[in-house]
Amino acid sequence: MDDDLSVKMEPSKTYPASTSTVTPLLARPTGVHRFPPTKAFDSFRRGSGPEYSFAPALGENGRVFNPKAAAWNTAHTPLVRRLKGRHLQMIAIGGSIGTGLFIGSGSALATGGPASLLLAFILIGAVLFCTVQALGEMAVTFPVAGSFSAFATRFIDPAWGFASGWNYAMQWAFTMPLEVMSAAITLEYWNIDLPGWAAITIFLFAIVMINLCGVKIYGEAEYTFSIIKVTAVIGFIILGAVINCGGTQDSGYIGGKYWANPGAFHNGFKGFCNILVTAAFSFSGTELVGLAAAETHNPSKSLPTAIKQVFWRIALFYIVSIAIVGLLVPYTSPQLISRNSVDSKASPFIIAIQSAGIEGLDSVMNAVVMIAVLSVANSSMYGATRTLQALAEQGQAPRALAYVDRKGRPLVAIAVASAIGLLAYLYVSPVQGPAFTWLLALSGLSSIFTWASICWAHIQFRKAWTLQGNSLSDLVYQSPIGVAGSWIGLVSLILILVAQLWVAIAPEGASANLSAGEVATNFFEAYLAMPVVLLFYGAYKWGYGTRWVRVRDIDLVTGRNEFESLGVRRQWREDRSEWPRWKVVYKMLC
């Protein structure tokens, strides 16, 4: 079977309010091949497929949310399944390895020291492991549009799904111009005589065109970008080990002397708490692999492998490279502090190479940083558009955003995200500094809310799965750490939010004589995502009067992955029973 769907069916003219029989996953009607384009612009017309009507249902508080319609539409999305396993793995890597690792780690090192930096990344990596395992189980069982935002609506509360979905869409929509500005700043390293507005225009045009070319081209672009980034990180790890052992001309043996002087920790426990959000921001994007489930060919095979392998690869790259950075760059280095929070000159990777006296290689690393931030900008466009399209499918966003053309492109959502991308031109305005600050503030905590929502939804999903008489062996993919991992992830993420609230109210180094306005500014710069989420949640709760979804009422039928027959799963389990123990452990983790 090739990338395109080989099974097609004619949509029925009516759809019942309750969908007791679910259309097989690979037999969902898309209409992509039924209407071959006759003109160049014909492919931009709306894709054909069944659509559950959102008839206005009025209640005491106005319009009432229609959960059956939301579940049907996300399960029968006109998005096309053209992503392969290799695309999924590189999409997750491409969405995460970027500004946070290459540049943000520098300010984090200056804030908390090398030990706090390493511990924070290990802790967030462990939390992320719990989160992606929960996401993998749900996304394989229900490879629907919107993924975790749809799961929040379906398993927790439509109001929370609305709030978390818009939080995620806004995170990526505002991260995209931030990353484009970062790419323009990397050009300053070479003193290129190119106007800032011209660089912004070139970068924005490239990102929009990649996303307009379809999901397969997007996957190939991310695959290429990610290979470059992974190669650079591996190369830096090897080079860093050589530099640390005195293998260059200008540096003798370094070892752990910077951990002894100026020290391993800086600013105590508060410095560590400050780094947690930076680490979470650096890891954000890994969950994109779940969002891509609705556009993945054979998700039963591709998603489990991607979910497991991507985590280990990213964790290895992050933790080892962060450890190397902490050994090579002291937290007192004045170069770590920059006028821009995304200035590549403040990258500890570049600082380490410059300190070793290796000529020319710092420019190569700067080029990698530029590619990395453009890759994240590209992933940001994808994350924002797919989330907006899914919200519209559920009736939680303007209906126009649900428009998908015959090639599976959410054109209206792409247009909206592209318009928000114009904020990147603030780079050439007098408010460049505040623009960086507030764009970061909008996206800083968003990943933590998203991950907490995934863990919470998985807990609800497992309760409903058992209560409704299903066996865990019926799951196509089962999380190796189960519900316990989701509880650990959820509690850890709540504690991180509490720690961030503490440093937002009383930031490190702040004077005790700050005015009320300065206190408020510090708070919102560090914690802006929280009031935004609460505002969205409260507004939807008041307008629609939704209730928490009861476990016994959770819909485990619509959109369920039933492509793999029971016989196939039984044969797989029988084959697995003959594996040696080392292979069972390896397959569970990788």
Side-chain angles (χ1 to χ4, degrees), residues 176-177 180-181 183-184 187 194-209 374 418 421-428:
M176 198 264 279
V180 172
M181 295 165 78
L187 297 179
L194 179 68
W197 63 266
I200 294 293
T201 302
I202 294 171
F203 293 147
L204 277 177
F205 179 79
I207 292 167
V208 173
M209 290 307 298
L374 287 176
S418 300
L422 297 178
L423 290 173
Y425 285 103
L426 291 173
Y427 169 70
V428 294

Short mmCIF file of all heavy atoms in Angstrom, two decimals, residues 176-177 180-181 183-184 187 194-209 374 418 421-428:
data_model
loop_
_atom_site.label_atom_id
_atom_site.label_comp_id
_atom_site.label_asym_id
_atom_site.label_seq_id
_atom_site.Cartn_x
_atom_site.Cartn_y
_atom_site.Cartn_z
N MET A 176 6.12 31.02 16.23
CA MET A 176 6.59 31.12 14.85
C MET A 176 7.26 32.46 14.54
O MET A 176 8.40 32.50 14.08
CB MET A 176 5.44 30.84 13.89
CG MET A 176 5.89 30.48 12.49
SD MET A 176 5.90 31.87 11.37
CE MET A 176 4.17 31.92 10.92
N PRO A 177 6.61 33.62 14.81
CA PRO A 177 7.31 34.88 14.56
C PRO A 177 8.53 35.06 15.45
O PRO A 177 9.52 35.67 15.03
CB PRO A 177 6.25 35.95 14.84
CG PRO A 177 5.22 35.28 15.68
CD PRO A 177 5.21 33.85 15.23
N VAL A 180 11.30 33.23 13.74
CA VAL A 180 11.73 33.95 12.54
C VAL A 180 12.61 35.14 12.92
O VAL A 180 13.63 35.41 12.27
CB VAL A 180 10.50 34.42 11.72
CG1 VAL A 180 10.93 35.33 10.58
CG2 VAL A 180 9.76 33.21 11.16
N MET A 181 12.23 35.84 13.98
CA MET A 181 13.07 36.93 14.48
C MET A 181 14.43 36.39 14.92
O MET A 181 15.47 37.02 14.68
CB MET A 181 12.36 37.63 15.65
CG MET A 181 11.08 38.34 15.24
SD MET A 181 10.03 38.78 16.66
CE MET A 181 10.87 40.24 17.26
N ALA A 183 15.97 33.79 13.73
CA ALA A 183 16.76 33.48 12.53
C ALA A 183 17.37 34.74 11.94
O ALA A 183 18.53 34.73 11.48
CB ALA A 183 15.86 32.79 11.50
N ALA A 184 16.62 35.84 11.97
CA ALA A 184 17.16 37.10 11.46
C ALA A 184 18.32 37.58 12.33
O ALA A 184 19.31 38.14 11.83
CB ALA A 184 16.06 38.15 11.42
N LEU A 187 21.80 36.21 11.60
CA LEU A 187 22.55 36.83 10.50
C LEU A 187 23.46 37.95 10.99
O LEU A 187 24.46 38.26 10.33
CB LEU A 187 21.57 37.39 9.46
CG LEU A 187 20.67 36.36 8.75
CD1 LEU A 187 19.73 37.07 7.78
CD2 LEU A 187 21.51 35.32 8.01
N LEU A 194 22.28 42.91 5.02
CA LEU A 194 20.93 42.59 4.54
C LEU A 194 19.92 43.23 5.49
O LEU A 194 19.99 42.99 6.70
CB LEU A 194 20.72 41.07 4.49
CG LEU A 194 19.35 40.59 4.02
CD1 LEU A 194 19.16 40.91 2.54
CD2 LEU A 194 19.19 39.09 4.27
N PRO A 195 19.04 44.07 4.98
CA PRO A 195 18.06 44.71 5.86
C PRO A 195 17.26 43.67 6.64
O PRO A 195 16.93 42.60 6.12
CB PRO A 195 17.16 45.49 4.89
CG PRO A 195 17.99 45.67 3.67
CD PRO A 195 18.87 44.47 3.58
N GLY A 196 16.93 44.00 7.88
CA GLY A 196 16.18 43.08 8.71
C GLY A 196 14.85 42.69 8.10
O GLY A 196 14.44 41.52 8.16
N TRP A 197 14.15 43.67 7.50
CA TRP A 197 12.85 43.37 6.92
C TRP A 197 12.97 42.39 5.76
O TRP A 197 12.07 41.56 5.54
CB TRP A 197 12.16 44.66 6.45
CG TRP A 197 12.89 45.39 5.34
CD1 TRP A 197 13.79 46.40 5.47
CD2 TRP A 197 12.78 45.12 3.94
NE1 TRP A 197 14.25 46.80 4.23
CE2 TRP A 197 13.65 46.03 3.28
CE3 TRP A 197 12.04 44.23 3.17
CZ2 TRP A 197 13.79 46.06 1.89
CZ3 TRP A 197 12.18 44.25 1.78
CH2 TRP A 197 13.04 45.17 1.16
N ALA A 198 14.08 42.46 5.03
CA ALA A 198 14.28 41.55 3.90
C ALA A 198 14.49 40.12 4.40
O ALA A 198 13.95 39.16 3.82
CB ALA A 198 15.46 42.01 3.06
N ALA A 199 15.30 39.98 5.45
CA ALA A 199 15.53 38.64 6.01
C ALA A 199 14.23 38.04 6.54
O ALA A 199 13.94 36.86 6.30
CB ALA A 199 16.57 38.73 7.14
N ILE A 200 13.44 38.87 7.24
CA ILE A 200 12.16 38.40 7.76
C ILE A 200 11.26 37.94 6.62
O ILE A 200 10.60 36.89 6.69
CB ILE A 200 11.46 39.52 8.56
CG1 ILE A 200 12.27 39.86 9.83
CG2 ILE A 200 10.04 39.12 8.93
CD1 ILE A 200 12.31 38.78 10.86
N THR A 201 11.21 38.72 5.55
CA THR A 201 10.37 38.39 4.40
C THR A 201 10.77 37.06 3.77
O THR A 201 9.92 36.22 3.46
CB THR A 201 10.44 39.51 3.35
OG1 THR A 201 10.03 40.75 3.94
CG2 THR A 201 9.54 39.20 2.16
N ILE A 202 12.07 36.86 3.59
CA ILE A 202 12.57 35.62 2.99
C ILE A 202 12.21 34.41 3.84
O ILE A 202 11.71 33.40 3.34
CB ILE A 202 14.09 35.70 2.77
CG1 ILE A 202 14.42 36.77 1.72
CG2 ILE A 202 14.65 34.35 2.35
CD1 ILE A 202 15.90 37.07 1.61
N PHE A 203 12.45 34.54 5.14
CA PHE A 203 12.19 33.41 6.04
C PHE A 203 10.69 33.09 6.12
O PHE A 203 10.28 31.93 6.08
CB PHE A 203 12.75 33.70 7.43
CG PHE A 203 14.25 33.79 7.48
CD1 PHE A 203 14.89 34.66 8.36
CD2 PHE A 203 15.03 33.01 6.63
CE1 PHE A 203 16.27 34.74 8.41
CE2 PHE A 203 16.42 33.09 6.67
CZ PHE A 203 17.04 33.96 7.56
N LEU A 204 9.86 34.13 6.25
CA LEU A 204 8.42 33.91 6.32
C LEU A 204 7.89 33.26 5.04
O LEU A 204 7.08 32.33 5.09
CB LEU A 204 7.69 35.23 6.56
CG LEU A 204 7.59 35.73 8.00
CD1 LEU A 204 6.90 37.09 8.04
CD2 LEU A 204 6.85 34.73 8.89
N PHE A 205 8.36 33.74 3.91
CA PHE A 205 7.91 33.20 2.62
C PHE A 205 8.27 31.72 2.51
O PHE A 205 7.44 30.90 2.07
CB PHE A 205 8.54 33.99 1.47
CG PHE A 205 8.16 33.48 0.11
CD1 PHE A 205 6.93 33.80 -0.45
CD2 PHE A 205 9.04 32.68 -0.62
CE1 PHE A 205 6.58 33.32 -1.71
CE2 PHE A 205 8.70 32.20 -1.87
CZ PHE A 205 7.47 32.52 -2.42
N ALA A 206 9.47 31.36 2.92
CA ALA A 206 9.91 29.96 2.84
C ALA A 206 9.04 29.06 3.71
O ALA A 206 8.62 27.97 3.29
CB ALA A 206 11.38 29.84 3.24
N ILE A 207 8.74 29.51 4.92
CA ILE A 207 7.94 28.70 5.84
C ILE A 207 6.52 28.52 5.33
O ILE A 207 5.95 27.41 5.35
CB ILE A 207 7.94 29.34 7.24
CG1 ILE A 207 9.34 29.24 7.85
CG2 ILE A 207 6.92 28.66 8.16
CD1 ILE A 207 9.53 30.10 9.06
N VAL A 208 5.92 29.60 4.86
CA VAL A 208 4.55 29.53 4.34
C VAL A 208 4.49 28.61 3.13
O VAL A 208 3.57 27.79 2.99
CB VAL A 208 4.02 30.93 4.00
CG1 VAL A 208 2.66 30.84 3.31
CG2 VAL A 208 3.89 31.77 5.27
N MET A 209 5.46 28.70 2.24
CA MET A 209 5.45 27.87 1.04
C MET A 209 5.61 26.39 1.37
O MET A 209 4.97 25.54 0.75
CB MET A 209 6.56 28.32 0.08
CG MET A 209 6.32 29.67 -0.58
SD MET A 209 4.71 29.76 -1.40
CE MET A 209 4.88 28.47 -2.63
N LEU A 374 14.69 28.02 12.24
CA LEU A 374 13.77 27.99 11.10
C LEU A 374 12.97 26.70 11.09
O LEU A 374 11.78 26.68 10.74
CB LEU A 374 14.53 28.16 9.80
CG LEU A 374 15.07 29.56 9.50
CD1 LEU A 374 15.90 29.56 8.22
CD2 LEU A 374 13.91 30.57 9.36
N SER A 418 -0.16 32.52 9.15
CA SER A 418 0.76 33.36 8.38
C SER A 418 0.58 34.83 8.75
O SER A 418 1.57 35.59 8.83
CB SER A 418 0.52 33.17 6.88
OG SER A 418 0.73 31.81 6.51
N GLY A 421 2.25 35.48 11.83
CA GLY A 421 3.68 35.48 11.58
C GLY A 421 4.23 36.84 11.20
O GLY A 421 5.43 37.10 11.34
N LEU A 422 3.35 37.74 10.75
CA LEU A 422 3.79 39.09 10.41
C LEU A 422 4.31 39.85 11.64
O LEU A 422 4.97 40.88 11.49
CB LEU A 422 2.65 39.87 9.76
CG LEU A 422 2.14 39.31 8.43
CD1 LEU A 422 0.96 40.14 7.92
CD2 LEU A 422 3.25 39.28 7.38
N LEU A 423 4.00 39.34 12.84
CA LEU A 423 4.55 39.95 14.05
C LEU A 423 6.08 39.91 14.04
O LEU A 423 6.72 40.65 14.80
CB LEU A 423 4.03 39.23 15.29
CG LEU A 423 2.54 39.42 15.63
CD1 LEU A 423 2.14 38.51 16.79
CD2 LEU A 423 2.25 40.87 15.98
N ALA A 424 6.65 39.06 13.22
CA ALA A 424 8.12 38.98 13.14
C ALA A 424 8.72 40.31 12.69
O ALA A 424 9.89 40.59 12.98
CB ALA A 424 8.53 37.87 12.18
N TYR A 425 7.94 41.14 12.00
CA TYR A 425 8.46 42.44 11.56
C TYR A 425 8.68 43.40 12.72
O TYR A 425 9.26 44.48 12.52
CB TYR A 425 7.51 43.06 10.53
CG TYR A 425 7.60 42.41 9.16
CD1 TYR A 425 6.63 41.52 8.73
CD2 TYR A 425 8.68 42.67 8.33
CE1 TYR A 425 6.72 40.91 7.48
CE2 TYR A 425 8.77 42.07 7.08
CZ TYR A 425 7.80 41.19 6.67
OH TYR A 425 7.89 40.59 5.43
N LEU A 426 8.23 43.02 13.92
CA LEU A 426 8.55 43.82 15.11
C LEU A 426 10.06 43.85 15.34
O LEU A 426 10.56 44.69 16.09
CB LEU A 426 7.84 43.26 16.34
CG LEU A 426 6.31 43.41 16.37
CD1 LEU A 426 5.73 42.66 17.57
CD2 LEU A 426 5.93 44.88 16.43
N TYR A 427 10.77 42.92 14.70
CA TYR A 427 12.22 42.88 14.80
C TYR A 427 12.86 44.18 14.34
O TYR A 427 13.92 44.59 14.84
CB TYR A 427 12.73 41.71 13.96
CG TYR A 427 14.22 41.67 13.76
CD1 TYR A 427 15.08 41.39 14.82
CD2 TYR A 427 14.78 41.90 12.50
CE1 TYR A 427 16.44 41.35 14.63
CE2 TYR A 427 16.14 41.85 12.31
CZ TYR A 427 16.97 41.58 13.37
OH TYR A 427 18.33 41.54 13.19
N VAL A 428 12.25 44.85 13.38
CA VAL A 428 12.81 46.10 12.86
C VAL A 428 12.10 47.32 13.44
O VAL A 428 12.20 48.42 12.90
CB VAL A 428 12.72 46.12 11.31
CG1 VAL A 428 13.62 45.05 10.72
CG2 VAL A 428 11.28 45.95 10.83
#
